[in-house]
Amino acid sequence: MNNDNLYLNFYITRKMSLRCSDGGGPFGFDIHKALEVCYLIDKHNCDMIVETGTHTGDTTELLAKQYPNKEILTCEINREYFDIAKDRLKKYDNVNVVWESSEKVLKKINASKPFYYLDAHWEHYWPLVDELKTIRTGVVCIDDFDIKTPGYSSDTWNNVMCDKKLILDNIDVKLYINNPKALYPYPNLQKDRISGRCYFTKGIKENYFNDINWFKKH
């Protein structure tokens, strides 16, 4: 992976997000998260990128710049956010923005090795469990995950936490999380809100999580 190319794309991508506790920006303006995701996409040679929860397209635009030859599918159910992202991303031929609930979108995926970035923030319905049950094969990142580390935020909905129990109650996989003590090539300039993240693969033999200290078993 060309870290310098990612660094440039990351910091020239506009922060257009609305009403975000982290201030917006690609991957919540967390370059460590961006490094982890792009490392896994590159190492697994993923043939498609699927994002749930487009919001206004900050993360999507970074991925479109970084992977101009990969199909990117992103979905959003908030009409205001969808309209902004749709207009913003229309210049990228490899990006398809859809106004549809994520669990329905995931059922239509036929790629052999997709990368899933699960970041759908809900209104009246939390789609994560249905997303997990739908995924047949691929590499998965779940954002806003509880990694049991002070300073790292996570999400809850209806008193249910986005944590290890929730994942393993619904899917049988080996979990990895980001390593707060890892050494990255660049400092993280996000100071407002840093979230934990969880990773796993399904239907894939290769395991690249142990090849770099950005990840640890959970």
Side-chain angles (χ1 to χ4, degrees):
M1 182 174 74
N2 186 335
N3 288 337
D4 291 340
N5 185 54
L6 175 60
Y7 179 92
L8 176 63
N9 286 331
F10 185 90
Y11 285 111
I12 66 172
T13 298
R14 293 172 295 167
K15 300 171 82 174
M16 291 182 63
S17 293
L18 303 177
R19 299 181 284 275
C20 286
S21 59
D22 56 20
F27 292 104
F29 203 55
D30 185 340
I31 196 168
H32 294 173
K33 192 186 305 181
L35 285 163
E36 294 161 9
V37 167
C38 291
Y39 165 85
L40 292 172
I41 292 172
D42 290 343
K43 292 294 287 186
H44 289 94
N45 192 25
C46 293
D47 55 349
M48 182 180 186
I49 299 171
V50 182
E51 176 192 24
T52 67
T54 315
H55 206 262
T56 53
D58 292 6
T59 298
T60 322
E61 185 164 31
L62 167 65
L63 292 170
K65 294 174 183 176
Q66 189 72 14
Y67 298 105
N69 297 318
K70 291 186 186 293
E71 179 184 359
I72 300 173
L73 176 62
T74 182
C75 59
E76 176 60 55
I77 61 170
N78 181 295
R79 188 67 201 219
E80 178 187 11
Y81 299 154
F82 168 80
D83 288 341
I84 293 171
K86 185 74 173 179
D87 183 66
R88 173 185 187 175
L89 298 165
K90 63 184 179 183
K91 62 183 177 181
Y92 298 102
D93 294 336
N94 61 322
V95 177
N96 184 18
V97 187
V98 297
W99 184 37
E100 191 171 16
S101 189
S102 58
E103 83 287 354
K104 297 178 182 177
V105 172
L106 265 57
K107 289 180 180 179
K108 304 173 187 177
I109 303 301
N110 292 315
S112 61
K113 195 181 289 186
F115 184 92
Y116 293 95
Y117 178 55
L118 304 184
D119 191 31
H121 294 280
W122 47 90
E123 294 182 358
H124 304 295
Y125 159 61
W126 188 10
L128 181 58
V129 169
D130 288 331
E131 290 174 342
L132 293 172
K133 292 178 178 179
T134 301
I135 293 173
R136 297 183 296 273
T137 183
V139 185
V140 181
C141 171
I142 301 173
D143 205 357
D144 302 301
F145 184 86
D146 182 19
I147 64 170
K148 308 296 183 184
T149 301
Y152 285 82
S153 299
S154 59
D155 280 344
T156 59
W157 182 83
N158 198 25
N159 295 319
V160 177
M161 181 171 287
C162 183
D163 62 4
K164 181 178 182 178
K165 182 179 186 302
L166 175 66
I167 308 306
L168 296 184
D169 280 351
N170 289 282
I171 189 170
D172 182 17
V173 291
K174 295 180 180 179
L175 299 182
Y176 294 81
I177 57 173
N178 60 295
N179 179 8
K181 297 181 179 179
L183 299 176
Y184 295 87
Y186 313 115
N188 186 4
L189 301 182
Q190 168 58 271
K191 303 302 180 184
D192 296 325
R193 182 182 186 269
I194 303 174
S195 62
R197 46 264 183 199
C198 170
Y199 298 91
F200 64 85
T201 61
K202 187 175 182 183
I204 296 175
K205 295 180 179 180
E206 298 86 2
N207 183 335
Y208 297 109
F209 296 108
N210 298 322
D211 294 349
I212 194 167
N213 75 341
W214 299 349
F215 310 96
K216 65 177 185 178
K217 291 182 180 179
H218 187 51

